[in-house]
């Protein structure tokens, strides 16, 4: 309440980049729904398309009429987790002011680190990125010191840099995240401002991106252990995806069914 910045000292801020297939946002939906996180406020910004709708995590008729807007904050103190869910696209040319506002909020609310869930166009991968897993991570130098060893233990693959001028000069390498929305800007700003940030992303294409969201949230869970992975050793091992609770709003992800009158 009021204008005082909430104290999330030592918390991990989890948020999506509005990127190809909305994979990060869908993965965040699964986290909020499964952990039954409490809405603690909203993130006021003029950088996102305005939006209002019903409660996406409704569990009963009583709470289905609560309104939700384009950027809301959820908290789970027991896991020191705060989540910013973004539900609408960015207004053109508003990436930079959003990043500035967000990072100043991260500092004022004393969050320990930021984890950004993102995605990138599968068809724009270079040869090296076509091999192995479609999942990648990035760490700012400040976070690399703290958790770099853990990523190597998990056998994770860092996002490759690609040639700035392919075919002309292959020595100048740059970070290229096509379809990643604010990912690259937010990451580079965090590097220069000394903020601990991790980016977890998946290469994917537009379509039914629910399977991609499950893959990305399981990837996140390997590291942060938000839910216990009950994978049994027998042949019929539990699919870790079945432990995430699908929110009620996903029923209409592709609109209503086809009207029978068509046939």
């Amino acid at each position: 309440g009021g204008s005082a910045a909430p104290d999330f000292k030592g918390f991990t801020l989890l948020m999506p980049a509005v990127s190809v297939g909305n994979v990060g946002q869908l993965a965040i939906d699964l986290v909020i729904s499964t952990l039954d996180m409490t809405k603690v406020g909203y993130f006021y910004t003029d950088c996102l398309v305005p939006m209002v709708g019903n409660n996406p995590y409704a569990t009963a008729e009583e709470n289905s009429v609560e309104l939700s807007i384009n950027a809301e904050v959820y908290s789970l103190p027991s896991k020191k987790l705060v989540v910013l869910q973004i539900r609408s696209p960015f207004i053109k040319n508003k990436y930079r002011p959003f990043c500035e506002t967000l990072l100043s909020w991260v500092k004022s609310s004393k969050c320990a680190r930021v984890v950004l869930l993102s995605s990138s166009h599968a068809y724009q991968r270079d040869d090296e990125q076509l091999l192995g897993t479609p999942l990648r991570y990035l760490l700012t130098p400040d976070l690399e010191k703290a958790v770099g060893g853990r990523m190597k233990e998990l056998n994770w693959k860092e996002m490759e840099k690609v040639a700035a001028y392919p075919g002309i000069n292959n020595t100048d390498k740059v970070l290229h995240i096509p379809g990643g929305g604010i990912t690259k800007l937010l990451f580079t700003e965090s590097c220069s401002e000394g903020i601990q940030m991790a980016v977890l992303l998946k290469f994917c294409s537009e379509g039914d991106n629910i399977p991609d969201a499950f893959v990305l949230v399981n990837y996140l869970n390997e590291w942060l252990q938000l839910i216990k992975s009950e994978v049994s050793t027998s042949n019929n091992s539990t699919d870790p995806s079945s432990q995430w609770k699908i929110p009620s709003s996903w029923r209409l992800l592709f609109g209503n069914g086809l009207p029978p009158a068509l046939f």
Side-chain angles (χ1 to χ4, degrees):
S3 58
D7 186 10
F8 292 127
K9 192 171 184 183
F11 277 52
T12 295
L13 170 66
L14 184 60
M15 62 173 287
V18 183
S19 50
V20 55
N22 305 104
V23 177
Q25 292 151 291
L26 293 171
I28 295 283
D29 263 356
L30 289 168
V31 171
I32 295 169
S33 182
T34 305
L35 299 178
D36 196 18
M37 295 182 76
T38 310
K39 190 186 336 185
V40 291
Y42 58 89
F43 188 79
Y44 179 75
T45 173
D46 62 356
C47 303
L48 295 164
V49 173
M51 181 229 95
V52 67
N54 280 32
N55 178 5
Y57 313 115
T59 49
E61 213 170 303
E62 298 78 65
N63 65 4
S64 65
V65 291
E66 289 173 15
L67 292 181
S68 65
I69 61 167
N70 55 9
E72 293 186 322
V73 181
Y74 296 78
S75 170
L76 187 64
S78 63
K79 288 195 186 285
K80 290 220 153 189
L81 186 68
V82 57
V83 170
L84 168 64
Q85 176 62 305
I86 299 173
R87 299 199 177 92
S88 69
F90 283 87
I91 291 167
K92 201 178 174 187
N93 302 328
K94 289 280 193 176
Y95 278 9
R96 193 166 289 282
F98 179 82
C99 287
E100 286 166 6
T101 312
L102 178 83
L103 294 179
S104 82
W105 176 61
V106 168
K107 286 176 181 168
S108 67
S109 55
K110 302 185 178 70
C111 289
R113 60 187 175 187
V114 183
V115 179
L116 183 70
L117 299 185
S118 183
S119 49
S120 182
H121 283 301
Y123 73 88
Q124 285 192 259
R125 287 173 291 178
D126 70 1
D127 291 353
E128 196 182 356
Q129 292 169 338
L130 287 166
L131 301 169
T133 173
L135 295 158
R136 294 291 185 278
Y137 78 92
L138 282 166
L139 299 176
T140 59
D142 287 75
L143 190 57
E144 174 77 52
K145 290 174 199 153
V147 301
R150 176 76 182 121
M151 302 314 190
K152 290 188 174 51
E153 276 171 35
L154 290 168
N155 215 10
W156 280 13
K157 238 181 160 176
E158 194 167 358
M159 182 71 172
E160 300 87 348
K161 290 191 170 178
V162 297
Y165 309 104
I168 302 164
N169 173 359
N170 290 331
T171 51
D172 289 347
K173 300 272 187 168
V174 291
L175 189 59
H176 186 50
I177 308 175
I182 60 164
T183 309
K184 184 178 172 181
L185 178 63
L186 199 52
F187 180 74
T188 50
E189 290 291 308
S190 298
C191 286
S192 59
E193 294 202 27
I195 285 171
Q196 296 198 8
M197 174 181 278
V199 175
L200 308 190
L201 70 81
K202 183 178 187 296
F203 294 118
C204 65
S205 307
E206 290 277 4
D208 176 0
N209 295 100
I210 289 174
D212 298 309
F214 277 113
V215 170
L216 188 60
V217 81
N218 285 330
Y219 185 54
L220 169 76
N221 198 53
E222 274 180 51
W223 172 31
L224 292 187
Q225 300 287 301
L226 299 174
I227 60 168
K228 283 191 174 65
S229 303
E230 296 164 8
V231 180
S232 62
T233 48
S234 60
N235 293 337
N236 58 347
S237 61
T238 313
D239 174 11
S241 302
S242 62
Q243 293 164 259
W244 297 101
K245 183 181 163 197
I246 293 175
S248 52
S249 53
W250 283 22
R251 285 199 307 259
L252 298 174
L253 212 53
F254 299 103
N256 293 320
L258 295 171
L262 277 177
F263 309 100

